[in-house]
Amino acid sequence: MDPIQIESGQRYLTRINPKRIPHIFTDVLIIGGGIAGSRAALQIDPRLETIIVNKGKVTQSNSAYAQGGIAGVLDPLDDISNHIEDTLAAGKDLCNRELVEHVCHAAPRHIRELIEYGADFDKQDGKLALTKEGGHSHRRVAHALGDATGKELMRALVLAVENRPSIQTWTKTPTLDLVTEDGKCRGAIIWNRYHGKTLIWAKQVILATGGAGCLFRETTNPPLATGDGHALAFRAGALLQDMEFMQFHPTVLYIAGGARYLISEAVRGEGAYLRDSNGVRFMSEYHPDLELAHRDVVSRAITDRMLKTNHSCVYLDLTHLKRSLIKERFPNISEVCASFGLDLSRDQIPVRPGAHYMIGGVKTDLEARTSVPHLWAAGEVTSTGLHGSNRLASNSLLEGLIFGAAAGKGASAAALSQPDQFSASLLPEWDSEKRSDEDLNSDDLRNSLASLMWRDVGITRSAESLRDAKEKVDFWSRYVVNREFKTLSGWELQNMLLVAQLMIASAIERRESRGVHYRSDFPETDAAFQKHISVIADSRK
Ligand code: SIN
């Protein structure tokens, strides 16, 4: 199927005068310092200069927020073929089998390598402790710090990165756009807190910017997950696919005034029940796998139950589990709940679903190559075909790790064989007149967008809701896209509107239900749609 051509609006978010801004030269530029970006950096030959630019702090990423763990066959009673089959079953006939096999085979080696980098996984009787999550036929999820796996893995990787003198990490440095010339990626325009707009020229660029959960009102993601990488790759001409597939996590803490904190699926993996507001354990009415059915099933069941009971949430019940197990396995969740006066051995946790993981993204191959020469990508910003239409829990840190390493390897080899070729003649000119952002309240629009996406492009969609969403997002985009913002929140808003357009166009096109994409007007899976929907910027503009 041909990609849907979508008008990208302006090619670059801001004007720059190349003679008036600082220029930096490096061999490899990595945009994003989560698990994919950090792992990529460690794969770059130390003879090359590498810069990692991070929009926020290294602790503010979906990688660092990850609770449950990382999946891989580490138990002799399990088998790699089981991990492969579980991943394929979750993906509902849309996974790339060759790639799934590659990832599941590589998983144990990459997890052991993390241990060599210093990651301290939880142990039981001297062996790695393994838990279970929805869709896994065996206990195969390694975890750390009880329920803060991402924090521990990032600690180890960031330390390893800091020990490499050839790598510099710049935090609080958002990227505005990738710079392309003749269709090839040459670097990026970034915002530096001392010098403002700055051009970084790089022989090879790796995109590892993470997800887009903040497009939705309810989300487990940190505030920085605004789909920037998706948007800037799209503007640079990259092919994106599967943009209709946003995975909703079934259990997000729902307390008025409190942050939407993830309550890990591992809680259900250790035996917690889901109950409605009448105390009924309801999952048996929806799926034989009960609380450990695939996430899309559990999220829809919860939404249905909230409607039927006319209540704003359901409840996770751990009260039948041992107090010591709860404290030991879920120390952070227990602490957060305690801060709202909830004692998990006595009280139930109010939860409802929220946007969690962006399955769609920049299309990449087994070597993490994108469709744009000199641009590589890894992690949540990509669509590798591993997840199909529904990601199996705890396969995402794994994907970031494996394709981060692949991107680093590819970019490193390419940069080593590439001569320095930076010259003023490569400098693009941007001189178009743009309207300023002065009369626009970007926060207000951002909230309206997140509410609209949650209502119309959320867990259940239909032709009507998608048409409504398209109309509004197109209208907002018309007066936002061609302005020149001076603040991060403005650039984020422009990126979010663009990514919303890509999600909506893809969701309209997929006239069936599959995995995380549920259309109330097409509730069945249709074999005619066993294919990827891709999007690309309209080159006629
Ligand atoms: C969780 O802990 O439930 C999240 C794990 C994941 O999304 O893979």
Side-chain angles (χ1 to χ4, degrees), residues 67-69 133 247 249 262-266 295 356 391-396:
Q67 294 185 1
E133 290 178 296
Q247 184 174 59
H249 196 290
L262 175 69
I263 307 293
S264 175
E265 189 154 326
R295 279 184 186 172
H356 182 56
R391 179 180 65 92
L392 186 68
S394 289
N395 266 355
S396 47

Side-chain angles (χ1 to χ4, degrees), residues 227-246:
D228 302 338
H230 294 81
L232 53 92
F234 181 80
R235 286 196 294 272
L239 187 70
L240 279 73
Q241 72 176 13
D242 294 341
M243 292 299 288
E244 67 277 32
F245 296 132
M246 164 59 80

